[in-house]
Amino acid sequence: MIGHTSQKVDAAIKEGKVRILIDAIDPEKHLEQLTTTGPYAGSLEAFTTGVKLRTRYSHLLGELPTRKTKLWASDSKRVVDTARYFSAGFFSLDWEEVANLELISETEGLGANTLTPGDTCKWYRDDAEYGHDYGIGMLKKFIPTYLEAVRDRLAQQNPDIVFDIGEIYSMQEMCGFETTVRGSSQWCDVFTHEDWLNFEYARDLIHYYRSGPGNPYGPTMGWLWLNATMNLITAGSSVGSMFFSFVHDGDIIPMLAAFDLFHDDEDLPVTHILKSRHWRTSQITPMGGRIILERISCSSSEHTGGSEANFVRVNVNDGIVGIPGCSEGPGGSCPLSEFRELVQRRGKEVGDFREKCGLGREAPEKITFLHQ
């Protein structure tokens, strides 16, 4: 749709019919790629994140094994590139001397032993109503509530060119995509502040219903990584001090749904913006978004009676987020034993992955590759 919109604008400009003059990038050249130019380049973000986390967790570097440290990435070029840039920032430019990046296939046959459960969950892929496309369906119900007025406004400004609602939505997408490549975009100036608030909510709807809390498959898919990570945290430093997994934003969202971190008492409506919502994609999975689970050992008398105890804390994009019903520990953390019980309880609530996804008992039932 983005490419079609750009072609229509280009044609109108050549004919002298449009007063919105946009020097747009060719989206086909950058589609599905990690951006490498401009102040918001994905490569720059990944590298600086590596440096930032090295600084924050430098005390753990001495606990790394003498053998190479494993990292994992889903086998998509931009995800792999992100992992490589991050590793250069975290370890060094010679990171391959001390670390090994393992690529996890995005193919359908891996069952639960995957970083991309949306690709292996058969019924999620095949369910036309409530599967992967559920989010787009809900988006299409919402965008007419604001884009019809935008369409009329653009038609008044440019009476010789007619855009449909889908094309106007693509213009809003181009603002973000082009900004990540160039640092700015003239598309952004086409829309009002109110238009952008509506677009923000439209993006929330897509992810909420595509694989988040509003999708019946989302929490089940996300529980796989959450459970595997819970087992690592429970085992402690004996199995490793750091574990890094790199995935698409669409694979982070199911984990957050399984965790129920950004809970809303009602599903997001499509007739109007729910201003009081907690689920905001721009804050949850921005470009370069990251979720960090920390195991903390404390001997505070207030929380442990003077003896050492272990807690789990969740950091979402450099902000501490309390685990629902379990955030009274030091720094908004959750006692490790309660965290383990919470994850196990959620596993029962969201259901068995193979059963939910229509997979046979011969399919892998859990993640097994996350180990040093």
Side-chain angles (χ1 to χ4, degrees):
M1 180 62 76
I2 290 176
H4 181 262
T5 303
S6 297
Q7 292 168 6
K8 181 177 284 191
V9 172
D10 289 342
I13 290 174
K14 289 178 182 178
E15 296 175 14
K17 292 183 177 179
V18 62
R19 291 192 292 272
I20 303 175
L21 301 180
I22 303 291
D23 178 23
I25 62 171
D26 181 358
E28 295 301 325
K29 292 181 179 179
H30 301 276
L31 189 66
E32 302 292 328
Q33 303 296 317
L34 182 70
T35 54
T36 57
T37 58
Y40 310 114
S43 55
L44 178 62
E45 172 73 17
F47 181 83
T48 55
T49 296
V51 174
K52 180 185 296 184
L53 296 192
R54 179 183 179 91
T55 303
R56 182 185 302 168
Y57 300 110
S58 59
H59 60 287
L60 297 178
L61 293 174
E63 299 180 14
L64 293 176
T66 55
R67 62 184 182 278
K68 288 187 176 182
T69 299
K70 294 179 184 177
L71 303 89
W72 298 268
S74 61
D75 194 7
S76 166
K77 185 179 185 304
R78 68 178 182 275
V79 175
V80 174
D81 287 345
T82 299
R84 295 184 186 279
Y85 278 102
F86 171 88
S87 298
F90 186 83
F91 295 105
S92 72
L93 295 179
D94 300 322
W95 65 270
E96 290 178 291
E97 295 181 3
V98 297
N100 182 46
L101 179 61
E102 296 190 355
L103 305 187
I104 308 301
S105 173
E106 297 187 353
T107 54
E108 299 176 1
L110 296 182
N113 195 25
T114 179
L115 287 175
T116 51
D119 293 321
T120 66
C121 182
K122 183 180 185 302
W123 285 352
Y124 174 71
R125 300 193 315 268
D126 295 346
D127 189 338
E129 186 173 5
Y130 294 111
H132 176 274
D133 294 338
Y134 189 22
I136 291 296
M138 299 300 272
L139 168 76
K140 290 180 178 179
K141 292 180 179 180
F142 172 73
I143 57 176
T145 66
Y146 79 99
L147 284 185
E148 288 182 353
V150 177
R151 180 189 59 195
D152 294 343
R153 186 179 74 229
L154 294 181
Q156 290 179 352
Q157 297 169 347
N158 305 276
D160 293 317
I161 182 170
V162 178
F163 294 110
D164 61 40
I165 286 178
E167 291 168 337
I168 298 172
Y169 182 78
S170 293
M171 294 181 195
Q172 291 193 288
E173 288 187 313
M174 277 295 293
C175 166
F177 292 146
E178 196 170 46
T179 297
T180 63
V181 177
R182 288 180 164 177
S184 63
S185 173
Q186 294 182 63
W187 288 108
C188 303
D189 298 330
V190 172
F191 301 95
T192 67
H193 178 70
E194 190 67 24
D195 295 338
W196 288 118
L197 291 178
N198 279 290
F199 179 75
E200 176 192 38
Y201 188 70
R203 299 299 300 177
D204 294 344
L205 286 172
I206 289 180
H207 293 291
Y208 183 88
Y209 287 105
R210 173 181 285 170
S211 60
N215 187 287
Y217 301 94
T220 308
M221 298 189 298
W223 186 82
L224 300 175
W225 186 90
L226 179 61
N227 182 59
T229 302
M230 178 273 291
N231 289 329
L232 294 173
I233 291 177
T234 300
S237 58
S238 63
V239 298
S241 59
M242 287 189 253
F243 298 83
F244 299 103
S245 299
F246 298 85
V247 295
H248 305 274
D249 58 351
D251 300 305
I252 293 176
I253 287 171
M255 187 276 290
L256 295 174
F259 221 158
D260 201 25
L261 280 186
F262 300 93
H263 179 79
D264 286 299
D265 291 332
E266 60 176 300
D267 283 335
L268 302 189
V270 295
T271 55
H272 61 280
I273 294 177
L274 181 65
K275 295 183 178 179
S276 61
R277 70 194 182 282
H278 296 101
W279 187 268
R280 294 177 184 267
T281 305
S282 58
Q283 298 176 18
I284 296 171
T285 53
M287 189 182 76
R290 53 195 173 272
I291 315 298
I292 302 172
L293 275 67
E294 304 171 323
R295 172 173 165 145
I296 304 172
S297 296
C298 301
S299 57
S300 166
S301 59
E302 178 184 352
H303 297 283
T304 69
S307 60
E308 185 171 274
N310 297 310
F311 300 83
V312 177
R313 188 170 68 170
V314 182
N315 184 312
V316 179
N317 303 316
D318 298 329
I320 302 302
V321 177
I323 298 173
C326 191
S327 58
E328 300 303 317
S333 62
C334 173
L336 177 58
S337 59
E338 295 183 30
F339 170 72
R340 180 181 177 86
E341 292 174 2
L342 182 149
V343 173
Q344 291 174 335
R345 183 171 64 252
R346 281 294 286 165
K348 295 177 181 179
E349 292 172 355
V350 303
D352 178 77
F353 179 81
R354 293 179 300 183
E355 182 178 331
K356 188 86 171 182
C357 295
L359 304 179
R361 303 307 294 179
E362 71 281 359
E365 64 177 345
K366 62 182 179 180
I367 293 175
T368 60
F369 53 79
L370 281 181
H371 57 83
Q372 293 295 351

